[in-house]
Amino acid sequence: MSTAKIRLYVEHPLGEGQTVPLDRDQAHYLFGVMRQGTGDAVLLFNGHDGEWHATVAEASKRGGLLNVERQTRPQQDPPDLWLLFAPIKKARTDFIVEKAAEMGAARILPVQTDFTNSERIRQDRLQAHAVEAAEQCGGTYVPEVTDLQKLDRLLADWPEGRQLMFCDEALAGANEAVRQDGHAGPWAILIGPEGGFSNAERARLHDLPFTHAASLGPRILRADTAAVAAMTVWQQRFGDWA
């Protein structure tokens, strides 16, 4: 039996004996780029059914067919953690989405703040980056990447019971990583734009009952660095790293 070296996300149910058709892009990747052929093994996941070992039954430039044989890993969902961030330059926004998927965000929400530089994003492209990150890191879950939405509207409709770790660059140097009154359960992390939060946004965030102002150390971090640092702090305290 061949050893699988490639993981592929598919939007099909997975179970023993099922067949999974490949679209043109997937076929190009497997057979054109990775040089796989009939009989070769592939690991599949769909975000719901865990990871499965499959073999190539049919291979062509325009498509293909995989036979699902056995489960190799059960489904492992991340903690109920959202990452909210203000989009920045393209490559660094891609980095934030990729690392959020790798580090266990359940949902990724680009938000428009008063000082956000970008007024539009390519949601489909960012979702593809989340899929690629899950394929590479061995995860069995792909977080949803939502379209860009205004922060004030999101806060106005905030779901009851979800806490928000608000990373405030004005607290650099303070010992406020996550206040002691925080507890496990649904959470979100908010990372601001390159220009920081406006005074009005900062005042509102500090006044909201579900927010926990946090410092990420003695230095002000870039937005992409802050996302990784904040998720690390949260995961070690409340998440599946604890």
Side-chain angles (χ1 to χ4, degrees), residues 71-114:
Q71 190 177 53
T72 52
R73 293 177 58 190
Q75 178 66 23
Q76 183 178 15
D77 292 333
D80 190 358
L81 175 65
W82 297 358
L83 177 67
L84 285 61
F85 75 98
I88 47 179
K89 293 179 181 178
K90 179 180 176 181
R92 289 167 61 192
T93 292
D94 295 347
F95 175 90
I96 291 174
V97 170
E98 291 166 1
K99 299 312 167 189
E102 290 178 21
M103 298 182 71
R107 198 170 186 225
I108 303 171
L109 299 88
V111 295
Q112 186 173 7
T113 67
D114 289 346

Side-chain angles (χ1 to χ4, degrees), residues 106-186:
R107 198 170 186 225
I108 303 171
L109 299 88
V111 295
Q112 186 173 7
T113 67
D114 289 346
F115 297 152
T116 300
N117 292 330
S118 177
E119 296 183 356
R120 299 180 63 186
I121 63 167
R122 280 282 308 276
Q123 185 272 339
D124 57 341
R125 184 177 61 83
L126 293 180
Q127 187 66 65
H129 279 295
V131 169
E132 291 171 4
E135 290 174 340
Q136 294 295 320
C137 75
T140 56
Y141 180 90
V142 177
E144 175 195 10
V145 182
T146 69
D147 207 351
L148 185 68
Q149 52 194 308
K150 291 184 179 296
L151 177 62
D152 58 353
R153 294 180 184 174
L154 184 62
L155 294 175
D157 296 327
W158 195 254
E160 183 177 356
R162 184 174 296 276
Q163 301 177 85
L164 177 63
M165 178 178 168
F166 154 47
C167 300
D168 185 358
E169 70 276 5
L171 293 177
N175 186 21
E176 292 275 347
V178 182
R179 290 203 312 249
Q180 294 301 314
D181 57 344
H183 54 80

Side-chain angles (χ1 to χ4, degrees), residues 1-23:
M1 182 178 296
S2 60
T3 302
K5 299 179 181 179
I6 299 169
R7 300 182 79 244
L8 190 65
Y9 173 78
V10 295
E11 295 182 348
H12 295 275
L14 296 173
E16 185 176 351
Q18 289 185 312
T19 58
V20 175
L22 299 176
D23 61 30

